[in-house]
């Protein structure tokens, strides 16, 4: 087994996850099998109880693991299926060691950070690296390890020590360290500064790790004299210094690495340059075509994202990626309008009329409406109003998890004339409990007690859009993350009123997919289809939403291919972005300030100052 360790220096948010994923793409294109591990130094056992506003989305794996969003990047880029153990946290390591201590595994020993914690980390890496993740038998050829945080953080010291020992354990030729650092430009000087990277590498060396390759983030391509300076002061050959400058979309990153021959440098360190005497050459034709296609699209499709966590786009990262995948497949440039759901509610009209009218204008201008998952009662009434607007005005609608539940509540209130209809999550005493707590759920133990991971949904009829979008299969396996579900006792009433439950679980008691028949596209799902969307294989339901929003649904349902027409649709949207060194697009995400839209980085259009990192 060969190992590639990706670390970061100077500042956080440099894009280590995308870099690690791109290295994986490059190695996979060279004919190697690749797996990935993410190390998060926080004490939480997993990401399940962490706030999306602070940490970004919680990504869910097939086995029900609630993990860091970077594992989503790995799965999307490499088209693999990881396990919960591919995400190592300080909490997991200490919990494992303490459990062993209680069982008497260390009987007679004084349990310490070194060697017990560091040995546990190394053993965990070796064990997980051998688990196949690509559907084939046997372990992968290369395991890419991303160390979260920044070199010098106190909380990651035990991992730094363990990885230093690990490099010695696996031996020379089996371990390659890629250090991602920042080369900033000070506006007052206009010169690319190498000192931050020099200090970062010095700190890395002082901790016992020596970088084989430097991956330097910058806004523009590095000058040659800057590379030479970095080589001289960081003791890394110039040929092993790659420049990750800002690109039009992140699908270009593997191509940038290939162009600078990063694969040759990595393969040389790992003694994998050739197979049977033939040099390994990455084959990225399909990847290149996709990246260029994304850049070439200019006909927009506007989707209103009605959510609770709109102040941080990473809170909905997988949803945004799935929208992008579907938009590219439908040959459209994605425009995301962020609509804070609470701004749609009546109290906002009284407290902040500008925010209220701005939110409703965005909703009314959208070609499609998406209500993603979430927890808690804030903004729920706004989501219900969005679902009502989509239903009454025949706007394509996709509700995910909570988004499906609020669609059911809205239908009960408006169509079935049950004004008190609600979820027991928001109103425990409601007289019309449309959504109820799962019978096997726990209200005491929060972490890992939801209905998690891949579950099977059986279609009840083939005469529905969802079934056709999935290719007329009898069932689908999708990932779940929820505590509440549609009340099965009320299902007959809903069906009598015209709401179709076209997908159910194996017991027929859990409602998985809803549809309205006399609507262009009104679909709600209890599961999270975004987690299994891939660049070359977009989620069926997201593709359906984009196709319906652009008048192409019949083409998709007939499984026909798309053609890019030369006609341009005028763009009526707004933007006020700020571009930072890390290649993310950020800005005010309140949806109130209107400025002219511009095409920006990451292969997308962004509206209302809402930077979306795709």
């Amino acid at each position: 087994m060969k190992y590639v360790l990706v670390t970061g220096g100077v500042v956080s948010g440099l894009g280590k996850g995308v870099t690690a994923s791109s290295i994986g793409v490059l190695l996979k294109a060279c004919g190697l099998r690749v797996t990935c591990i993410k190390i998060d130094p926080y004490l939480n056992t997993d990401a399940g109880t962490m706030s999306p506003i602070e940490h970004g989305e919680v990504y869910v794996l097939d086995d029900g693991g609630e993990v860091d969003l970077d594992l989503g990047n790995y799965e999307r880029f490499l088209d693999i299926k990881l396990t919960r153990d591919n995400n190592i946290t300080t909490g997991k390591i200490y919990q494992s060691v303490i459990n062993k201590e209680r069982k008497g595994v260390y009987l007679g020993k004084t349990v310490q950070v070194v060697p017990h914690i560091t040995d546990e980390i190394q053993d965990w890496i070796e064990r997980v690296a051998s688990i196949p993740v690509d559907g084939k038998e046997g372990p992968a050829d290369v395991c890419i390890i991303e160390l979260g945080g920044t070199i010098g953080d106190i909380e990651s010291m035990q991992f730094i020590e363990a990885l230093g020992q690990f490099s010695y354990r696996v031996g020379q030729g089996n371990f390659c360290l890629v250090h991602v650092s920042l080369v900033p430009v000070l506006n007052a000087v206009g010169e690319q500064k190498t000192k931050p990277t020099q200090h970062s590498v010095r700190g890395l060396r002082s901790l016992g790790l020596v970088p084989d390759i430097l991956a330097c983030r910058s806004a523009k391509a590095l000058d040659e004299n800057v590379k030479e300076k970095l080589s001289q002061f960081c003791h890394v050959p110039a040929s092993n210094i790659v420049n990750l400058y800002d690109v039009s979309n992140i699908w270009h990153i593997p191509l940038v690495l290939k162009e600078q021959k990063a694969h040759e440098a990595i393969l040389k360190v790992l003694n994998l340059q050739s197979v049977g005497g033939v040099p390994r050459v990455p084959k990225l034709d399909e990847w290149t075509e996709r990246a260029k296609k994304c850049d070439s699209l200019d006909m927009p499709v506007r989707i209103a994202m009605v959510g609770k966590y709109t102040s941080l786009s990473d809170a909905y990262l997988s949803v945004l990626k799935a929208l992008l995948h579907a938009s590219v497949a439908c040959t459209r440039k994605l425009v995301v309008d962020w609509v804070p759901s609470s701004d749609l509610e009546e109290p906002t009209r009284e407290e902040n009329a500008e925010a209220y009218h701005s939110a409703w204008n965005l909703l009314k201008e959208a070609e499609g409406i998406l209500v993603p998952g979430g927890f808690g009662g804030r903004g729920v009434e706004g989501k219900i109003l969005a679902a009502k607007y989509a239903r009454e005005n025949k706007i394509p609608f996709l509700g995910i998890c909570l988004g499906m539940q609020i669609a059911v509540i809205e239908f009960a209130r408006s169509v079935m004339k049950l004004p008190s209809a609600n979820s027991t999550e928001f109103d425990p005493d409601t007289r019309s409990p449309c959504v109820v707590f799962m019978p096997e759920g726990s209200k005491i133990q929060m972490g890992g007690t939801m209905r998690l991971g891949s579950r099977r949904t059986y279609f009840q009829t083939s005469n529905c859009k969802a079934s056709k979008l999935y290719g007329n299969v009898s069932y689908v396996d999708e990932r779940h993350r929820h505590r509440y579900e549609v009340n099965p006792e009320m299902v007959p009433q809903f069906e009598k009123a015209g709401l179709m439950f076209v997908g159910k679980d194996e017991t027929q008691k859990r409602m998985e997919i809803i549809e309205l028949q006399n609507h262009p596209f009104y679909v709600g799902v209890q599961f999270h289809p975004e987690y299994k969307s891939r660049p070359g294989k977009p989620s069926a339901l997201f593709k359906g939403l984009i196709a319906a929003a652009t008048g192409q649904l019949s083409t998709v349902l007939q499984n026909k291919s798309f053609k890019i027409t030369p006609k341009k649709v005028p763009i009526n949207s707004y933007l006020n972005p700020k571009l930072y060194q890390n290649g993310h697009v950020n800005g005010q995400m309140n949806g109130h300030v209107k400025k002219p839209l511009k095409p920006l980085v990451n292969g997308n259009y962004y509206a209302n100052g809402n930077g979306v990192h795709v």
Side-chain angles (χ1 to χ4, degrees):
M1 174 69 70
K2 308 286 186 176
Y3 299 90
V4 176
L5 172 63
V6 179
T7 60
V10 184
V11 295
S12 60
L14 284 176
K16 295 189 303 296
V18 173
T19 302
S21 302
S22 298
I23 289 173
V25 168
L26 209 56
L27 296 179
K28 184 177 179 180
C30 287
L32 297 166
R33 294 174 62 197
V34 180
T35 185
C36 296
I37 293 174
K38 173 68 188 295
I39 297 175
D40 285 304
Y42 47 70
L43 279 169
N44 303 63
T45 302
D46 59 33
T49 58
M50 299 173 74
S51 168
I53 294 297
E54 292 183 12
H55 197 71
E57 75 169 4
V58 176
Y59 188 79
V60 179
L61 302 170
D62 266 4
D63 66 359
E66 297 174 285
V67 297
D68 184 82
L69 58 80
D70 276 319
L71 275 79
N73 281 325
Y74 307 156
E75 286 203 340
R76 282 186 290 268
F77 268 59
L78 298 170
D79 195 17
I80 55 179
K81 291 184 179 180
L82 300 172
T83 71
R84 67 178 74 229
D85 287 345
N86 288 83
N87 192 188
I88 303 175
T89 69
T90 299
K92 285 182 180 178
I93 296 297
Y94 273 80
Q95 189 175 59
S96 178
V97 170
I98 290 171
N99 287 342
K100 288 180 179 179
E101 187 274 331
R102 292 290 84 189
K103 291 178 181 177
V105 174
Y106 309 119
L107 205 58
K109 301 288 185 180
T110 301
V111 181
Q112 298 175 297
V113 173
V114 180
H116 300 98
I117 294 296
T118 52
D119 282 352
E120 183 70 20
I121 293 168
Q122 295 176 72
D123 293 344
W124 193 300
I125 290 172
E126 283 195 325
R127 173 175 59 83
V128 174
S130 65
I131 300 173
V133 295
D134 55 2
K136 301 177 182 178
E137 294 184 0
D141 301 308
V142 181
C143 176
I144 298 173
I145 307 166
E146 179 193 346
L147 176 61
T150 306
I151 293 300
D153 293 345
I154 293 174
E155 59 202 17
S156 40
M157 287 303 177
Q158 61 240 21
F159 292 105
I160 295 287
E161 174 63 27
L163 290 164
Q165 295 178 18
F166 189 69
S167 66
Y168 179 75
R169 179 196 284 200
V170 300
Q172 189 175 6
N174 295 314
F175 189 88
C176 176
L177 199 164
V178 180
H179 187 59
V180 183
S181 187
L182 176 66
V183 179
V185 174
L186 300 180
N187 291 334
V189 182
E191 176 188 5
Q192 293 174 330
K193 308 301 289 185
T194 64
K195 193 63 70 177
T197 296
Q198 292 181 43
H199 284 299
S200 180
V201 171
R202 186 178 296 117
L204 190 63
R205 287 177 175 274
S206 70
L207 295 170
L209 288 171
V210 180
D212 297 294
I213 294 167
L214 278 182
C216 298
R217 287 287 291 112
S218 61
K220 297 181 180 179
L222 290 183
D223 299 331
E224 280 304 313
N225 66 308
V226 173
K227 273 193 175 184
E228 292 172 6
K229 191 174 182 180
L230 286 169
S231 176
Q232 181 181 358
F233 287 99
C234 297
H235 307 162
V236 176
S239 59
N240 284 20
I241 298 176
V242 296
N243 179 206
L244 301 176
Y245 49 83
D246 292 345
V247 291
S248 56
N249 70 73
I250 60 172
W251 293 339
H252 281 289
I253 300 298
L255 308 179
V256 169
L257 290 172
K258 177 188 176 184
E259 181 184 355
Q260 298 178 54
K261 300 182 179 179
H263 59 288
E264 293 183 6
I266 295 171
L267 294 174
K268 183 177 180 181
V269 173
L270 298 177
N271 293 326
L272 291 171
Q273 298 101 309
S274 61
V275 53
V278 179
R280 295 183 186 271
V281 179
K283 299 177 181 178
L284 290 169
D285 295 343
E286 184 179 345
W287 197 272
T288 303
E289 182 182 353
R290 187 182 303 118
K292 290 181 177 179
K293 179 181 179 181
C294 185
D295 288 341
S296 69
L297 300 175
D298 55 13
M299 289 181 289
V301 54
R302 300 188 58 177
I303 301 297
M305 181 89 79
V306 184
K308 176 181 177 181
Y309 313 113
T310 54
S311 60
L312 181 70
S313 61
D314 274 0
Y316 301 111
L317 185 60
S318 289
V319 174
L320 293 169
K321 300 293 186 183
L323 284 171
L324 176 64
H325 302 160
S327 298
V328 173
C330 293
T331 67
R332 290 296 185 272
K333 177 72 76 172
L334 177 64
V335 179
V336 173
D337 286 333
W338 292 97
V339 182
S341 55
S342 56
D343 285 357
L344 297 170
E345 299 171 359
E346 279 301 312
T348 304
R349 192 213 294 257
E350 300 174 6
E351 298 169 6
N352 189 341
E354 183 183 358
Y356 176 84
H357 292 297
S358 176
W360 274 104
N361 286 338
L362 290 176
L363 195 70
K364 292 176 180 179
E365 292 170 1
E367 296 166 280
I369 297 173
L370 192 152
V371 179
F375 298 91
R378 180 170 64 85
V380 164
E381 292 301 321
K383 295 175 184 179
I384 291 172
L385 289 170
K388 181 178 182 179
Y389 179 82
R391 181 181 59 80
E392 292 181 342
N393 293 277
K394 307 293 185 182
I395 306 298
F397 172 87
L398 176 61
I400 298 172
C401 196
L402 178 60
M404 168 182 148
Q405 295 172 10
I406 62 97
V408 170
I409 294 170
E410 190 281 321
F411 188 87
R413 291 181 184 179
S414 302
V415 179
M416 298 168 62
K417 307 304 179 185
L418 299 172
S420 65
N422 213 330
S423 166
T424 56
E425 179 181 5
F426 315 125
D427 182 4
D429 301 320
T430 176
R431 288 178 293 176
S432 302
C434 301
V435 179
V436 295
F437 193 77
M438 294 189 309
E440 73 274 28
S442 171
K443 294 186 179 181
I444 301 172
Q445 186 81 12
M446 299 301 289
T449 58
M450 289 185 277
R451 188 166 182 252
L452 294 164
S454 182
R455 309 289 178 127
R456 185 156 292 180
T457 295
Y458 293 88
F459 287 106
Q460 306 301 299
T461 174
S462 59
N463 186 29
C464 65
K465 296 181 179 69
S467 173
K468 293 175 182 177
L469 286 168
Y470 277 104
N472 292 313
V473 294
S474 58
Y475 63 84
V476 291
D477 295 319
E478 293 282 11
R479 300 175 185 179
H480 294 67
R481 185 176 185 250
H482 64 100
R483 284 191 177 91
Y484 291 81
E485 57 195 15
V486 174
N487 186 353
E489 294 180 4
M490 291 189 67
V491 168
Q493 295 174 250
F494 281 113
E495 291 180 329
K496 185 177 179 180
L499 186 64
M500 298 171 58
F501 293 92
V502 300
K504 300 180 182 180
D505 77 338
E506 67 280 359
T507 68
Q508 300 292 296
K509 293 182 179 180
R510 283 197 164 103
M511 305 302 111
E512 295 282 1
I513 308 175
I514 65 166
E515 274 191 30
L516 282 180
Q517 199 161 22
N518 298 319
H519 193 286
F521 188 86
Y522 195 93
V523 177
V525 291
Q526 186 59 70
F527 49 79
H528 289 263
E530 68 270 22
Y531 291 139
K532 295 179 75 171
S533 182
R534 301 291 181 262
K537 295 181 287 185
S539 162
L541 295 175
F542 279 85
K543 191 173 180 180
L545 173 67
I546 298 297
T550 56
Q552 304 178 80
L553 184 58
S554 60
T555 302
V556 171
L557 295 178
Q558 294 171 27
N559 199 24
K560 294 181 179 179
S561 59
F562 297 99
K563 292 182 180 179
I564 302 178
T565 58
K567 179 182 178 182
K568 293 187 178 181
V569 180
I571 303 171
N572 178 22
S573 193
Y574 309 91
L575 183 70
N576 182 22
K578 292 180 181 178
L579 178 59
Y580 290 90
Q581 294 287 351
N582 61 6
H584 295 203
V585 182
N586 298 306
Q588 297 299 317
M589 304 186 72
N590 54 21
H592 307 330
V593 181
K594 295 191 171 184
K595 302 230 175 162
L597 177 77
K598 299 176 185 176
L600 261 191
V601 303
N602 298 332
N604 212 334
Y605 281 87
Y606 305 97
N608 305 296
N610 305 332
V612 182
H613 172 204
V614 297

